[in-house]
């Protein structure tokens, strides 16, 4: 909320009107058809939209096309002109169609689930539990438990993990490369000060508290 002060008093500034959302435009454009029960051309809707429902004329074409795509508005070409119309029953027809489609999809999915359950039952029936199969399952369980134990033990000795060791070696190498670059850059600055301004390199080192063996990496 914005305010402005004048003469010691505070006044509230009027807020800019909020634009219509896409869905609100669709609803309001449908209302024009349902309230008038009439046929319209696009140019007529572009005039009626702003006048009756506050829809910006430039957006009417896009909104009407979305309604046509969703079968909420009918369209037909008569002569050289395109006419649009919609009646309240059109939405009911569309919803009933969607319900029928969903029911068909549900029936199809139920049939697929039944087929899968039947296939699973057949597979289980064919997998007779023999002594060999039981032994294989027991061995698999033992190996899985052993693998879990080994992974847990490896985590306890993470510092000796070859992957972690290699990562640390790489980090040390990167740090060394960075130190070398920093050293070279610092020496270049000292050399520039000495050659350009005649500053003694030892004075620079002493001022920056750089030891004589500092560049010996």
């Amino acid at each position: 909320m914005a305010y402005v002060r004048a003469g010691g008093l505070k006044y509230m500034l009027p807020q800019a009107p909020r634009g219509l959302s896409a869905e609100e435009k669709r609803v309001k454009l449908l209302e024009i058809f349902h309230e008038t029960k009439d046929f319209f051309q696009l140019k007529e809707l572009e005039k009626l939209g702003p006048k009756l429902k506050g829809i910006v004329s430039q957006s009417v074409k896009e909104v009407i096309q979305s309604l046509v795509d969703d079968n909420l508005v009918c369209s037909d070409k008569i002569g050289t002109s395109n006419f649009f119309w919609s009646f309240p029953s059109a939405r009911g027809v569309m919803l009933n169609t969607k319900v029928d489609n969903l029911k068909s999809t549900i029936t199809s999915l139920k049939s697929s689930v039944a087929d899968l359950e039947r296939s699973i039952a057949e597979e289980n029936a064919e997998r007779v539990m023999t002594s060999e199969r039981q032994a294989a399952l027991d061995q698999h369980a033992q190996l899985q438990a052993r693998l879990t134990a080994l992974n847990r033990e490896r985590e306890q000795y993470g510092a000796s993990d070859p992957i972690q060791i290699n990562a640390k070696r790489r980090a040390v190498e990167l740090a060394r490369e960075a130190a070398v670059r920093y050293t070279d850059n610092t020496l270049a600055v000292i050399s520039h000060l000495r050659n350009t301004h005649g500053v003694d390199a030892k004075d620079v080192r002493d001022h920056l508290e750089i030891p004589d063996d500092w560049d010996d990496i």
Side-chain angles (χ1 to χ4, degrees):
M1 192 71 67
Y3 297 88
V4 63
R5 290 185 177 276
L9 298 177
K10 184 169 67 173
Y11 299 91
M12 183 177 66
L13 295 176
Q15 289 185 325
R18 181 181 66 86
L20 297 175
S21 67
E23 187 58 30
E24 288 173 334
K25 292 176 183 178
R26 284 161 54 91
V27 171
K28 289 184 176 296
L29 199 58
L30 272 178
E31 288 176 353
I32 295 177
F33 289 107
H34 297 169
E35 291 170 359
T36 62
K37 297 181 176 62
D38 204 349
F39 297 78
F40 299 100
Q41 296 184 50
L42 178 60
K43 60 183 180 180
E44 294 174 321
L45 292 171
E46 289 175 338
K47 293 180 180 178
L48 293 174
K51 182 179 179 180
L52 299 179
K53 300 297 180 179
I55 305 172
V56 179
S57 60
Q58 290 84 346
S59 64
V60 169
K61 182 177 181 180
E62 180 181 355
V63 176
I64 194 69
Q65 185 59 53
S66 72
L67 293 172
V68 171
D69 293 341
D70 290 342
N71 297 318
L72 291 174
V73 170
C74 299
S75 173
D76 198 2
K77 188 171 185 179
I78 302 175
T80 59
S81 301
N82 287 320
F83 286 86
F84 302 91
W85 69 93
S86 176
F87 300 109
S89 60
R91 181 170 180 81
V93 172
M94 184 201 69
L95 292 176
N96 287 333
T97 301
K98 284 189 174 181
V99 169
D100 291 340
N101 291 337
L102 289 174
K103 287 181 178 179
S104 176
T105 301
I106 291 173
T107 301
S108 177
L109 289 175
K110 286 182 176 179
S111 176
S112 298
V113 170
D115 291 340
L116 289 173
E117 290 177 344
R118 186 164 46 254
S119 297
I120 292 173
E122 292 175 355
E123 288 289 334
N124 289 334
E126 292 177 0
R127 293 183 180 181
V128 180
M129 185 59 69
T130 62
S131 57
E132 292 81 2
R133 176 174 171 76
Q134 185 62 55
L137 290 174
D138 292 342
Q139 184 180 13
H140 177 270
Q142 293 172 3
L143 292 174
Q144 190 66 42
R146 179 57 177 164
L147 178 61
T148 301
L150 290 174
N151 286 333
R152 190 179 300 111
E153 182 179 355
R154 187 191 65 177
E155 291 174 357
Q156 294 176 354
Y157 298 96
S160 303
D161 188 348
I163 297 178
Q164 294 190 24
I165 292 175
N166 290 334
K168 291 180 179 179
R169 286 176 178 172
R170 179 56 180 162
V172 171
E173 184 62 26
L174 291 175
R176 183 182 182 282
E177 293 175 358
V180 171
R181 287 196 303 271
Y182 180 77
T183 302
D184 291 343
N185 291 338
T186 303
L187 292 177
V189 170
I190 294 175
S191 178
H192 174 75
L193 292 174
R194 181 185 61 199
N195 297 332
T196 304
H197 301 284
V199 180
D200 187 85
K202 187 176 184 306
D203 293 338
V204 177
R205 286 176 176 269
D206 292 342
H207 180 73
L208 298 178
E209 299 181 353
I210 300 177
D212 294 336
D213 60 347
W214 173 73
D215 58 334
D216 185 16
I217 298 179

